[in-house]
Amino acid sequence: MKEEFKLFVKKRPELINYVNNGKMTWQKFYEQWYLYGEDEAVWSKYKTSSDKFNLSSFIDTIKKVDMNEVQKGVNSMQKAVELLQGLVTKDNASAKESYTPRQLFKKFED
C-alpha cells in the first residue's frame, strides 16, 4: 500500500507544495488516498495550474524568506565589490605613479 501511495504522489508533485506550506500533512493525504483512491473529483482541488500566477503561494514564499539572511548576503556582496574596487583603484594609481614616459629622441647617454 505504501509503495502505491508513493507512486501516486510521484504522479501528483503539486501535493508536495501543500505539505511544505503546512496546509496538509502526508498522513491526511494518505488517508484521503486510502478512502477515495485516485478519484479525480477528490484530487482536482489540489491541482495547480502552471500558467496561472498564484498570488497566495507567492506571498507565502516571500513570508518564509529570512530577511536577515538576505541582508547578510547583500552586505557580503557589497564588501566583495568594495574590495575589488579598492584593488583596481590601487593598481591603477600605482601604475600611473611609477610610469614616467621619456622622450623618444633622447639617447641612452642623455
Side-chain angles (χ1 to χ4, degrees), residues 13-39:
E14 64 270 7
L15 299 179
I16 296 169
N17 292 333
Y18 283 91
V19 174
N20 289 343
N21 291 337
K23 295 178 182 176
M24 284 291 279
T25 63
W26 287 119
Q27 180 64 37
K28 288 180 184 179
F29 275 140
Y30 180 80
E31 290 170 1
Q32 282 185 344
W33 176 80
Y34 186 77
L35 290 174
Y36 303 108
E38 296 187 25
D39 184 16

Side-chain angles (χ1 to χ4, degrees), residues 76-88:
S76 295
M77 290 298 294
Q78 185 176 8
K79 287 177 184 176
V81 168
E82 288 172 357
L83 177 67
L84 289 172
Q85 285 177 333
L87 290 173
V88 169

Side-chain angles (χ1 to χ4, degrees), residues 37-99:
E38 296 187 25
D39 184 16
E40 191 62 35
V42 174
W43 301 104
S44 63
K45 64 182 174 182
Y46 299 109
K47 281 188 176 180
T48 55
S49 177
S50 60
D51 59 342
K52 282 193 213 173
F53 177 74
N54 189 345
L55 182 61
S56 64
S57 176
F58 178 72
I59 290 172
D60 289 342
T61 303
I62 295 298
K63 285 180 183 177
K64 291 180 182 179
V65 172
D66 185 0
M67 294 310 285
N68 291 327
E69 291 299 317
V70 171
Q71 186 63 41
K72 286 179 188 177
V74 169
N75 288 341
S76 295
M77 290 298 294
Q78 185 176 8
K79 287 177 184 176
V81 168
E82 288 172 357
L83 177 67
L84 289 172
Q85 285 177 333
L87 290 173
V88 169
T89 304
K90 185 177 181 181
D91 286 345
N92 286 342
S94 64
K96 287 179 182 176
E97 291 173 9
S98 65
Y99 176 71

